[in-house]
Structures are given as structure tokens and as C-alpha cells.
Amino acid sequence: MKKSIHLEYEVIQKENFSAEEQKLYLAASEIRKKAYAKYSHFAVGCALLMEDGNIVVGNNQENAAFPSGTCAERSAIFWAKSNFPNLKVLSIFIIGGPEDDSKSVITSPCGACRQSLLQYEIEQNQNISLYFSSYDGNAIKVNSIQHLLPFSFDGSEL
Ligand code: THU
């Protein structure tokens, strides 16, 4: 029996961002400038909108022992959930690309980040909107982390 999974996503340009999207885009852009991407020179910034209206940000932090570094998404979500464990995350905005902005690339979250983000979406029992974007604001939006991780390992197997 063949089955298929349908994925819906939206393509949005900076000019069409809502006020809230614009705010998240700017927060992710600002924190991206502080990324520690000494080895890849690929800078990523991430901004989370919390349910109380606060924005939590993070960026990638690399390490000479490469696997010891951390992506922007995990820097941001782990900080948010360490400090505000009971606050839901409403949306997440990610911006990535070469740190000198020499190329405009839409940067989608890596597999490990998808898994980490999904954990909190399941835990809070409410979808998180996820935007991923180039530095100059070409963005893709999905309405749930689930959409980026079909057949996920969600803990129900344990
Ligand atoms: N990176 C992120 O911060 N987020 C992603 O989802 C993709 C990759 C970082 C990790 C590493 O510091 C650099 O980008 C190049 O892979």
C-alpha cells in the first residue's frame, strides 16, 4: 500500500512580513551578527517569540573540536526553556548564511535541531510556527515543527 505525506509551506518576502514577523526577523538578524562561526564562517541567528511576548535569541557557537559546537536554534531554545520552562514558544525565526553575506541562502534547520525543537512543541501541546530565511528576508514558513520531521521519534516509543 502506497501512502504519501503532504507538506504545506508558505514563501514570504521581507516586504510582506507582518509587524511581528518583522520584529522576529530583526532580532534574528541582530543576534546572527554575534555568532561565533570561527571555522565554517556560516553565521546563524535564531529568535523565539514566547507566549508572554518576550523574544529569546541565540546563535551558533563553534568549537575547535567541531561536534562540541552548537547550532543557533539549540542555543536559543535551550536557553529559553532553561529560564522559562513554563512559557510556550509561539514562533521561531532562523536566519543563516555566510557571515560576510556574500550569498543569500535560505537556511533550514538541521536534523538535530528539528528533533530538539519538536520535543518542546509536543511538550507544550501547541504548534510552533517556524520561519527560516536568508539574511535578506526570503523566508519559508511552516506551521508546525512536525512538518519538518515526519515519522519522528517522539518519545511515545519509550
Ligand atoms: N548551523 C546552525 O546554527 N543551524 C542550523 O540549523 C544549520 C547549521 C550552524 C552550525 C555550524 O556552526 C554552521 O552553521 C555550519 O554548519
Side-chain angles (χ1 to χ4, degrees):
M1 188 196 305
K2 279 194 182 164
K3 294 189 175 190
S4 64
I5 292 173
H6 174 73
L7 165 66
E8 250 180 42
Y9 64 96
E10 224 176 298
V11 180
I12 320 174
Q13 264 82 42
K14 191 163 83 172
E15 299 72 46
N16 302 316
F17 286 167
S18 66
E20 196 168 76
E21 288 165 348
Q22 176 74 7
K23 221 168 133 186
L24 280 177
Y25 166 75
L26 289 176
S29 291
E30 281 309 304
I31 198 68
R32 177 175 170 256
K33 291 179 191 153
K34 298 179 188 164
Y36 180 61
K38 182 173 180 171
Y39 301 98
S40 71
H41 301 290
F42 192 90
V44 186
C46 178
L48 315 183
L49 177 63
M50 308 303 288
E51 65 177 336
D52 65 352
N54 274 318
I55 293 179
V56 171
V57 293
N59 53 28
N60 52 331
Q61 294 293 317
E62 298 189 349
N63 193 279
F66 290 179
S68 301
T70 303
C71 290
E73 297 89 321
R74 277 175 285 162
S75 295
I77 195 105
F78 291 157
W79 194 91
K81 284 299 175 177
S82 301
N83 288 280
F84 311 113
N86 300 319
L87 279 189
K88 291 180 179 172
V89 179
L90 302 185
S91 43
I92 301 179
F93 207 109
I94 303 158
I95 303 177
E99 63 187 356
D100 61 359
D101 290 342
S102 55
K103 211 165 109 190
S104 170
V105 282
I106 292 181
T107 300
S108 70
C110 78
C113 286
R114 292 174 195 211
Q115 181 73 26
S116 295
L117 298 175
L118 180 63
Q119 180 79 22
Y120 298 106
E121 180 177 277
I122 293 169
E123 197 66 43
Q124 70 181 25
N125 204 18
Q126 186 175 311
N127 283 2
I128 299 175
S129 301
L130 179 78
Y131 299 80
F132 44 101
S133 170
S134 60
Y135 81 88
D136 51 354
N138 289 314
I140 289 177
K141 178 190 180 192
V142 291
N143 290 325
S144 165
I145 311 295
Q146 300 262 19
H147 294 332
L148 293 184
L149 207 56
F151 296 110
S152 60
F153 183 79
D154 62 5
S156 56
E157 306 84 350
L158 296 174

